[in-house]
Amino acid sequence: MPDDLLHHVIGPTPYSPLWLWTAIGLIAVLCAWYAAVFVLTSRRRPVRELPVLGAARAELLRRRSARAVRAIGNRYRAGDLTAAGAGAALSGELRTFLHAATGVQAQYMQVDAIADSAAARAAPILAELTDIQFNHRSALDAATASATAEELIRGWT
């Protein structure tokens, strides 16, 4: 074999540095995943007490609950719900929000017990919603109660 053809033969091509950086990035993502799972599942501190995650969770919770309350109010104004049905739906959504925001088991508590808890600011609105739900001669308006509940949820800290 002549020596002039050997300059066309080369050794194996090296690996691209892209594969190395991809592997390092995937390992970093895996470590972050394990750290997040450990932090979020430890029962020593609830998620709402963590600085960044707690604030983001609270904001998303407020937005979702306010949107749900507004939708209930719109359904009442459109005539899809009766006053009693709107009062029940608003009360349920507000109690679910209070449980998620404060940890108080508001779904199972009476209004007087809520007034003595960390969710005391919501007790007057819940009393109005109870009156709308169970008193057919109530002078209170479910649309106004919906707006008040939405305002409470948006301003909750």
Side-chain angles (χ1 to χ4, degrees), residues 122-134:
I125 297 171
L126 286 171
E128 289 178 6
L129 292 173
T130 302
D131 187 48
I132 291 170
Q133 183 179 0
F134 295 111

Side-chain angles (χ1 to χ4, degrees), residues 45 64 95 105 118 129 136 147:
R45 292 178 68 187
R64 187 201 64 80
R95 287 172 183 265
Q105 295 285 332
L129 292 173
H136 296 292

Side-chain angles (χ1 to χ4, degrees), residues 69 72-73 76 82-96 98 111 122-136 138 140-150 152-153:
V69 165
I72 293 168
Y76 171 72
T82 63
L90 288 169
S91 178
E93 186 60 41
L94 185 58
R95 287 172 183 265
T96 301
L98 291 174
V111 177
I125 297 171
L126 286 171
E128 289 178 6
L129 292 173
T130 302
D131 187 48
I132 291 170
Q133 183 179 0
F134 295 111
N135 183 3
H136 296 292
S138 176
L140 300 172
D141 183 31
T144 306
S146 170
T148 307
E150 184 179 350
L152 174 79
I153 289 170

Side-chain angles (χ1 to χ4, degrees), residues 34-87:
Y34 276 113
V37 167
F38 178 74
V39 167
L40 294 176
T41 58
S42 66
R43 286 290 170 191
R44 291 173 293 196
R45 292 178 68 187
V47 174
R48 67 177 148 266
E49 292 179 11
L50 295 174
V52 175
L53 294 177
R57 177 188 173 276
E59 181 62 29
L60 289 174
L61 179 66
R62 280 193 299 268
R63 285 183 185 181
R64 187 201 64 80
S65 296
R67 191 177 325 120
V69 165
R70 187 180 320 116
I72 293 168
N74 290 340
R75 286 180 55 204
Y76 171 72
R77 288 181 199 94
D80 295 340
L81 288 173
T82 63

